[in-house]
Amino acid sequence: MSLNDVITLNVGGVMLTTKRETLTKYPESKLAKMFDAESPVLSSLPMQKDGSFFIDRDPETFKIILNYLRSGRLNSQISKMVREDLKIEAQYFGLKDLEQRIYKRF
């Protein structure tokens, strides 16, 4: 397993594809622990028959998180309702950098 591995996620019924490198960008985060090739957590994730990993979270908010992990940036046009959801998800996934950006920016 390498950082360039392509991983397919089933997030709340929506299929998303990314690299392991993206998911492990912040080593202290829950996402990094979930997808670190060395982590015992990876083997406990529910894998679907199609090889995707199931994450029971909101797919629309998760898309924003993935884009943040890829670019390090947040869209300034995010609505207040989405910001609140994003705060919850950032806390859930232990993405402290994202949490801080949300609080500072909005």
Side-chain angles (χ1 to χ4, degrees):
M1 291 190 194
S2 82
L3 289 177
N4 288 321
D5 288 346
V6 174
I7 295 179
T8 301
L9 306 170
N10 176 342
V11 183
V14 174
M15 303 305 275
L16 302 170
T17 305
T18 192
K19 288 185 176 182
R20 183 181 310 279
E21 177 181 31
T22 302
L23 296 169
T24 59
K25 184 173 184 175
Y26 294 98
E28 337 61 59
S29 74
K30 184 175 185 172
L31 274 177
K33 291 173 184 158
M34 289 167 73
F35 291 98
D36 181 340
E38 306 291 318
S39 173
V41 177
L42 181 60
S43 62
S44 68
L45 284 175
M47 186 182 281
Q48 306 298 289
K49 290 179 185 177
D50 63 5
S52 66
F53 292 96
F54 181 74
I55 299 176
D56 191 18
R57 305 304 286 186
D58 176 63
E60 296 307 312
T61 307
F62 196 83
K63 287 178 190 178
I64 297 169
I65 289 172
L66 270 184
N67 285 332
Y68 174 77
L69 292 173
R70 292 172 178 141
S71 69
R73 300 174 68 174
L74 276 178
N75 182 333
S76 62
Q77 303 301 313
I78 296 172
S79 72
K80 185 175 182 177
M81 187 174 83
V82 172
R83 277 191 306 247
E84 292 304 314
D85 290 344
L86 195 53
K87 285 178 193 176
I88 292 166
E89 295 302 297
Q91 289 171 345
Y92 176 81
F93 287 113
L95 295 165
K96 295 179 195 282
D97 186 64
L98 177 56
E99 273 187 83
Q100 290 172 355
R101 286 192 184 217
I102 294 166
Y103 284 111
K104 284 180 186 177
R105 190 163 200 188
F106 304 104

